[in-house]
């Protein structure tokens, strides 16, 4: 088991990381991994949040009778087919995510 990282200053921001590393991070800063590199995320504005809420409402209503499920950030999405946590190097948190294959969601 890897050591928990509780402060972003414990990380080398020039280094590449994997999803396995990402799972050990327990600090408050919101980050994504893009090709293994840490990308800081800024807090969304109130305008941004209003737009996301409106979109989420419309999408949820549209998908009501569909097998797809709508998720809202923070929700980690791994953008690689490989499910091995030690090889995945792209992890994002989209504002809204629609998943139509329940096997693609970790429980």
């Amino acid at each position: 088991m890897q050591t928990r990282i509780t402060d972003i200053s414990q990380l080398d921001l020039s280094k590449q990381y994997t999803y396995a590393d990402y799972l050990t991070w327990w600090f408050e800063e919101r980050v994504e991994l893009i090709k293994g590199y840490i990308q800081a995320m800024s807090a969304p504005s109130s305008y941004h949040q209003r737009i996301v809420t409106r979109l989420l409402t419309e999408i949820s209503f549209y998908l009501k009778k569909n097998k797809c499920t709508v998720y809202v950030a923070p929700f980690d999405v791994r953008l690689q087919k490989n499910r091995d946590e030690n090889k995945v190097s792209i992890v994002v948190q989209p504002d809204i995510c629609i998943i139509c294959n329940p096997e693609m969601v970790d429980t």
Side-chain angles (χ1 to χ4, degrees):
M1 183 174 166
Q2 290 185 321
T3 305
R4 276 191 182 182
I5 303 297
T6 57
D7 193 288
I8 196 168
S9 66
Q10 294 174 263
L11 298 173
D12 178 350
L13 300 182
S14 65
K15 179 183 171 190
Q16 286 183 287
Y17 293 94
T18 66
Y19 186 60
D21 299 317
Y22 179 93
L23 291 174
T24 67
W25 302 344
W26 292 80
F27 45 79
E28 292 196 23
E29 291 87 354
R30 292 183 59 217
V31 298
E32 295 179 321
L33 275 184
I34 307 297
K35 295 185 179 180
Y37 293 101
I38 298 170
Q39 299 294 315
M41 298 172 64
S42 60
S45 67
S46 60
Y47 176 74
H48 174 94
Q49 292 299 83
R50 284 194 307 272
I51 297 299
V52 168
T53 301
R54 287 180 186 153
L55 286 171
L56 180 63
T57 302
E58 292 296 323
I59 292 169
S60 296
F61 181 76
Y62 179 79
L63 294 176
K64 196 170 189 170
K65 295 178 182 172
N66 192 302
K67 69 175 187 166
C68 300
T69 303
V70 182
Y71 296 90
V72 66
F75 182 79
D76 292 341
V77 175
R78 291 171 275 169
L79 295 178
Q80 289 171 293
K81 291 183 180 183
N82 193 325
R83 294 184 67 104
D84 181 346
E85 295 173 353
N86 292 300
K87 294 183 179 175
V88 174
S89 64
I90 301 174
V91 183
V92 296
Q93 292 186 353
D95 293 315
I96 298 171
C97 183
I98 301 167
I99 306 289
C100 297
N101 180 352
E103 293 178 11
M104 299 303 290
V105 178
D106 296 334
T107 56

